[in-house]
Amino acid sequence: MKLDHFLLLALATAAVDGCVRERDIGSVDPFSELAKRSEGQLHLPHLSKFESMLLNSFDNTTVDTWAYYYTHGLHIAGTNRSMAQWTADKWAESGFTSSVVSYDVYLNYPVSHSLSLTHSDGSTWKASLEEDVLAKDDTTSYPDRVPTFHGYSASGNASAEYVYIGRGQKVDFQRLLELGVDLKGKIAIARYGGPFRGLKVKNAQEHGMIGCIIFTDPADDGNVTVAKGHKAYPDGPARNPSSVQRGSVQFLSTYPGDPTTPGYPSRPDSPRVDKSPVVPKIPSIPISQLDAEPILAALDGHGIAGQKVNRTRWVGALNTTYSTGPAPGVKLSMSNVMHDTYTPIWNSIGIINGTEQDEVVILGNHRDAWIVGGAADPNSGSAVMIELAKAFGKLQAAGWKPKRTIVLCSWDGEEYGLVGSTEWVEEYLPWLKASTIAYLNVDVAVSGPLPDVGATPELHKIAIEAMKKVVWPYKGRRDTSMYDIWKTLNGGEIEVLGSGSDYTSFLHNGIASLDVGAGGDGSTDPVYHYHSNYDSYHWMSTFGDPGFHTHVAVGQFLGLLAYHLSTDEIAPLDVTNYGIEMTKYYQKLKKYVAASQYKDLDAVSKLQRKARYHRSNRKLVKHLNSVYRDFGRGFVSQGGLPDREFYKHMLYAPGLDTGYAPTTFPGVTEAIDAKNRTRAAEFVERASNAIYVAAGILASCHDCDNPVVQEQI
Ligand SMILES: *[C@@H]1O[C@H](CO)[C@@H](O)[C@H](O)[C@H]1NC(C)=O
Ligand SMILES: *[C@@H]1O[C@H](CO)[C@@H](O)[C@H](O)[C@H]1NC(C)=O
Ligand SMILES: *[C@@H]1O[C@H](CO)[C@@H](O)[C@H](O)[C@H]1NC(C)=O
Ligand SMILES: *[C@@H]1O[C@H](CO)[C@@H](O)[C@H](O)[C@H]1NC(C)=O
Ligand SMILES: *[C@@H]1O[C@H](CO)[C@@H](O)[C@H](O)[C@H]1NC(C)=O
Ligand SMILES: *[C@@H]1O[C@H](CO)[C@@H](O)[C@H](O)[C@H]1NC(C)=O
Ligand SMILES: *[C@@H]1O[C@H](CO)[C@@H](O)[C@H](O)[C@H]1NC(C)=O
Ligand SMILES: *[C@@H]1O[C@H](CO)[C@@H](O)[C@H](O)[C@H]1NC(C)=O
Ligand SMILES: [Zn+2]
């Protein structure tokens, strides 16, 4: 069959600005906007019997109980098997066949650390490196609370003059080099925000720096700061100034998972490779704004002042000029001691068999947290998953039987580098590729009031339908749907998935994926203390989600998705939308090429084919479902991206220098960035082949008189 003859996906519709959405919602008055839309009336679509039963099963009081459980015991990766068993047992009570599976992975745990500043007059100051114990917040005083540290950081000492590197992106380093700032042999002090923290350390290491400290700047808290009149947590919604963001410094954009077993599962006897391509060689330590201020202030008047550096988010809100330094004779001494080990981690898995076992829907959430709490990250999601299992238990008791198998996963080791999910996917890849129709992820289900959804294009339609059926509790109101709030207050655009949570291994094997959560607006909502001891049950029940109603709504949304994906006769995957979204990525790429030195890279036009796609009759349901299931696998190309084979999807990858944020058409885009024309052309070819393969999978249905792909150009 000649593929050229019925081209491609619905690379249809007119040009769309495919730029990353700017989140600027500060000026909208939510209530008047909502009133205009809904006139104070909530109109939900008609719900079926099972849909109503499902939605009504979610209960804020039981969710609160699960949230309390998860946030009152140490559960950093590899430390709490009983929590994994508890999760499996809860799912079993709701009729899921449940088990706990383990992997033996490389992790490291903090032993000791210190950081001190020596002024040129020889006087010294010592950083506290501790978060305050708060009488109002019980888990901040737990004796086994986790020190402030970076997962997968290197052990080592460093003592040297230091340089402020802004957010530590490659462009920041280029600017420092342009300005003639001496980096070699110095310690870096970087600000959180922008790229994934591991990439800040990587960039510092690659510029010959010998250590890295990273601080949280109050400028990232919008108007909710002490300087602007708010009280700090626990007395108010502003950031507690002693709070520290822990987190992994793995080089996430190279590959996730156990650094010592890339591409295969971590068994006790698995061969291990050198981990240095994905973990730092130089030590790093996270610090609070309190600890950062004197360190930055000691650079004032030395090097280039922040205003003159003139880089995005270089100057923050601390009382200092954010000068680059170095300051002669002003030194930092840091020490970071980690315990390296191979140790078991535990995923909990729960299954309800469908009548068609070769079609599977998977839902996942990680369970491990950097701190004893973890009320938002990730255990708001864990509490929701228990409640969701309970809801499906009720449906089963009422006679519902899913057509497709449902698998629940509670991942361990996510925080170090998506370890539990990546090892599991590596172990079951042939089965997953043959059977999975979608992976639904929830990590931080709730850290604020605004719903956020990211997904591959074939899941957009069902996500929007589900959003319209859920009542969303916005600041005490209960007369709006999730869809209305999302559309009115949060941009109304389903985001492109990058990386940073457990959907990554599914997405990059061509499996339709979705991620949902709710967060603050970053400027007026209570500040979420990400990866800090203050991401606690007390914060959640006082500021994040008092009453746990947002938890309920996120659970209902996921429940509806899982219900339809597992139950509908025809799998509700809207494959035509792939074409529409791809057109947006294509427009963006075209602009990028036009702005580059490869204006003549006209091969890019190969990527544009316009075609229209119809669905006619649905007689051969089985075949159609398998085509929908398999279609996305076509976008995966053997060999992956240059120097990072893990990332195989030709349309998406986490940005090389962002780690979290996605790049579309990554092979071509990054080749242009690297000024490698040959490679750009090679990836145009590979991306267009991948699109042909996906289209070919759809086209196979032509024979059964189902989707008809019609050429327009
Ligand atoms: C595991 O977590 C549970 C629930 O939070 C807690 O009660 C228990 O003490 C934790 N176990 C360990 C070994 O820390
Ligand atoms: C902060 O408040 C001021 C004054 O109300 C407003 O103009 C500004 O947009 C707000 N900034 C953010 C980030 O919300
Ligand atoms: C900062 O850089 C921008 C371009 O990136 C330039 O337009 C602007 O004039 C610069 N400002 C200063 C103060 O140098
Ligand atoms: C800011 O720093 C300067 C110089 O170090 C000091 O004189 C001033 O009092 C500080 N301002 C505040 C608000 O702390
Ligand atoms: C590293 O620094 C710590 C703290 O200053 C010190 O105790 C330790 O001896 C140093 N280790 C080495 C190898 O220099
Ligand atoms: C589910 O299906 C699997 C594979 O066919 C089978 O081994 C298992 O016993 C089934 N579980 C239940 C509870 O029926
Ligand atoms: C559940 O919601 C009800 C009604 O809003 C509220 O009174 C109750 O306190 C909530 N339960 C919890 C545990 O927050
Ligand atoms: C450009 O890309 C090609 C193909 O991927 C590769 O073989 C070559 O080494 C690259 N050139 C440079 C200068 O990196
Ligand atoms: Zn998380």
Side-chain angles (χ1 to χ4, degrees):
M1 157 186 334
K2 271 207 203 145
L3 284 178
D4 319 331
H5 284 181
F6 35 62
L7 275 187
L8 287 179
L9 302 160
L11 270 174
T13 58
V16 182
D17 272 349
C19 298
V20 177
R21 173 169 68 89
E22 286 292 318
R23 185 141 129 173
D24 182 17
I25 54 175
S27 59
V28 179
D29 170 3
F31 297 109
S32 73
E33 282 296 312
L34 287 170
K36 265 186 264 162
R37 290 181 60 82
S38 62
E39 293 157 0
Q41 293 288 310
L42 178 61
H43 299 291
L44 293 183
H46 174 74
L47 300 176
S48 70
K49 175 184 122 190
F50 282 131
E51 284 180 325
S52 300
M53 189 180 287
L54 181 86
L55 295 183
N56 291 334
S57 167
F58 284 84
D59 174 19
N60 69 317
T61 303
T62 40
V63 169
D64 166 88
T65 311
W66 320 139
Y68 188 93
Y69 167 80
Y70 278 116
T71 54
H72 285 78
L74 178 69
H75 54 298
I76 189 171
T79 60
N80 199 328
R81 192 189 189 287
S82 73
M83 190 184 273
Q85 190 60 53
W86 184 90
T87 303
D89 291 347
K90 280 281 165 215
W91 292 346
E93 285 170 22
S94 299
F96 285 77
T97 304
S98 301
S99 60
V100 171
V101 298
S102 82
Y103 295 95
D104 278 58
V105 302
Y106 163 65
L107 296 178
N108 65 9
Y109 297 109
V111 176
S112 66
H113 57 2
S114 66
L115 176 67
S116 63
L117 170 66
T118 306
H119 292 281
S120 50
D121 64 4
S123 64
T124 63
W125 170 89
K126 204 166 165 8
S128 111
L129 306 183
E130 290 250 22
E131 300 186 272
D132 293 345
V133 168
L134 308 176
K136 287 182 183 167
D137 186 339
D138 55 351
T139 52
T140 62
S141 62
Y142 272 32
D144 56 357
R145 65 184 183 275
V146 183
T148 56
F149 81 111
H150 281 149
Y152 286 147
S153 62
S155 289
N157 284 5
S159 182
E161 289 175 355
Y162 58 99
V163 171
Y164 175 53
I165 60 166
R167 296 193 300 177
Q169 262 184 296
K170 286 198 159 69
V171 277
D172 296 315
F173 281 94
Q174 272 160 22
R175 183 71 180 134
L176 287 166
L177 293 177
E178 231 170 73
L179 293 168
V181 178
D182 194 12
L183 302 172
K184 274 225 159 43
K186 304 285 189 278
I187 291 173
I189 175 164
R191 175 178 164 180
Y192 269 121
F196 182 72
R197 67 185 84 65
L199 301 182
K200 299 171 196 271
V201 181
K202 179 173 192 270
N203 290 336
Q205 176 177 306
E206 287 174 356
H207 284 85
M209 304 186 84
I210 61 170
C212 185
I213 58 181
I214 311 180
F215 71 97
T216 303
D217 198 288
D220 292 340
D221 297 338
N223 280 337
V224 189
T225 62
V226 173
K228 291 184 178 159
H230 292 278
K231 290 204 160 116
Y233 182 74
D235 302 316
R239 185 182 300 277
N240 183 294
S242 74
S243 91
V244 176
Q245 182 192 131
R246 293 159 188 75
S248 172
V249 288
Q250 187 180 27
F251 304 160
L252 185 62
S253 57
T254 306
Y255 63 83
D258 182 341
T260 66
T261 61
Y264 53 94
S266 295
R267 291 282 169 211
D269 56 355
S270 294
R272 305 279 164 172
V273 306
D274 171 24
K275 61 186 181 294
S276 66
V278 286
V279 299
K281 295 190 177 78
I282 62 171
S284 68
I285 300 178
I287 63 172
S288 67
Q289 64 193 53
L290 282 179
D291 278 345
E293 199 164 41
I295 296 174
L296 290 169
L299 298 179
D300 284 353
H302 300 280
I304 320 296
Q307 286 299 343
K308 274 202 160 156
V309 176
N310 191 20
R311 276 280 315 142
T312 318
R313 303 224 181 175
W314 188 278
V315 175
L318 294 171
N319 185 18
T320 156
T321 58
Y322 291 87
S323 296
T324 59
V330 181
K331 284 185 166 180
L332 283 176
S333 294
M334 65 189 289
S335 155
N336 187 48
V337 182
M338 301 290 297
H339 169 61
D340 284 28
T341 179
Y342 291 93
T343 192
I345 59 169
W346 305 279
N347 295 334
S348 321
I349 306 292
I351 301 177
I352 299 181
N353 282 341
T355 50
E356 314 268 339
Q357 292 192 14
D358 58 348
E359 295 174 17
V360 174
V361 179
I362 304 178
L363 289 88
N365 154 258
H366 76 92
R367 190 182 61 252
D368 64 305
W370 283 124
I371 55 254
V372 168
D377 185 5
N379 302 117
S380 52
S382 318
V384 160
M385 291 277 282
I386 303 287
E387 198 64 12
L388 181 142
K390 201 184 86 185
F392 280 106
K394 284 196 181 162
L395 293 194
Q396 276 192 298
W400 164 82
K401 184 114 186 70
K403 176 178 161 86
R404 305 185 181 87
T405 294
I406 300 178
V407 178
L408 304 183
C409 308
S410 168
W411 310 117
D412 200 354
E414 188 269 357
E415 291 291 4
Y416 277 80
L418 321 179
V419 180
S421 60
T422 303
E423 298 312 310
W424 191 77
V425 169
E426 285 169 352
E427 173 152 31
Y428 295 108
L429 190 57
W431 169 69
L432 290 168
K433 286 188 94 156
S435 61
T436 313
I437 72 155
Y439 173 71
L440 308 176
N441 192 64
V442 59
D443 183 334
V444 180
V446 185
S447 66
L450 297 171
D452 245 318
V453 180
T456 49
E458 69 275 56
L459 291 169
H460 288 194
K461 188 163 169 227
I462 183 173
I464 285 172
E465 281 167 10
M467 278 196 261
K468 289 181 175 167
K469 293 176 180 169
V470 171
V471 180
W472 191 264
Y474 185 74
K475 300 192 177 170
R477 290 167 62 117
R478 305 199 47 86
D479 59 350
T480 48
S481 69
M482 178 177 180
Y483 177 79
D484 278 335
I485 295 287
W486 172 77
K487 187 92 185 156
T488 319
L489 300 183
N490 210 17
E493 223 177 89
I494 295 183
E495 284 162 33
V496 176
L497 294 172
S499 185
S501 196
D502 293 303
Y503 55 79
T504 306
S505 288
F506 295 89
L507 175 67
H508 288 280
N509 283 299
I511 293 170
S513 302
L514 175 141
D515 187 43
V516 62
D521 64 6
S523 68
T524 62
D525 290 319
V527 172
Y528 158 47
H529 295 72
Y530 172 57
H531 291 179
S532 146
N533 268 338
Y534 312 129
D535 177 10
S536 60
Y537 179 83
H538 183 263
W539 180 84
M540 184 60 80
S541 53
T542 312
F543 293 102
D545 189 17
F548 290 83
H549 299 294
T550 309
H551 282 69
V552 164
V554 172
Q556 290 172 326
F557 170 73
L558 269 176
L560 283 173
L561 286 179
Y563 172 79
H564 285 286
L565 284 163
S566 64
T567 312
D568 291 3
E569 195 56 18
I570 311 266
L573 299 176
D574 176 18
V575 294
T576 44
N577 190 47
Y578 234 109
I580 294 167
E581 292 297 312
M582 238 179 350
T583 304
K584 299 183 192 172
Y585 316 150
Y586 169 73
Q587 296 299 343
K588 186 172 159 184
L589 179 69
K590 219 166 62 170
K591 281 189 198 162
Y592 206 68
V593 170
S596 77
Q597 77 242 61
Y598 304 130
K599 293 181 189 47
D600 60 331
L601 194 68
D602 46 38
V604 167
S605 64
K606 263 194 167 178
L607 289 170
Q608 190 176 40
R609 296 285 192 280
K610 291 190 178 178
R612 193 186 282 154
Y613 164 76
H614 300 289
R615 232 186 281 176
S616 50
N617 80 60
R618 295 179 164 187
K619 263 184 269 166
L620 297 160
V621 166
K622 186 71 204 169
H623 188 64
L624 190 56
N625 279 332
S626 68
V627 163
Y628 286 180
R629 181 194 61 204
D630 298 340
F631 153 80
R633 316 291 190 264
F635 295 109
V636 165
S637 172
Q638 292 305 316
L641 295 173
D643 303 321
R644 43 181 192 151
E645 306 89 272
F646 176 89
Y647 292 104
K648 295 187 273 294
H649 205 295
M650 288 292 112
L651 299 184
Y652 311 110
L656 254 185
D657 197 31
T658 63
Y660 296 119
T663 305
T664 47
F665 286 115
V668 187
T669 306
E670 283 165 5
I672 291 170
D673 291 341
K675 305 197 194 314
N676 188 331
R677 189 180 212 293
T678 322
R679 182 175 288 174
E682 177 195 319
F683 274 91
V684 166
E685 195 64 38
R686 283 177 62 187
S688 93
N689 287 344
I691 296 169
Y692 272 86
V693 174
I697 294 169
L698 282 185
S700 72
C701 233
H702 187 62
D703 302 335
C704 57
D705 190 36
N706 266 300
V708 179
V709 182
Q710 226 177 47
E711 198 176 345
Q712 282 190 334
I713 290 180

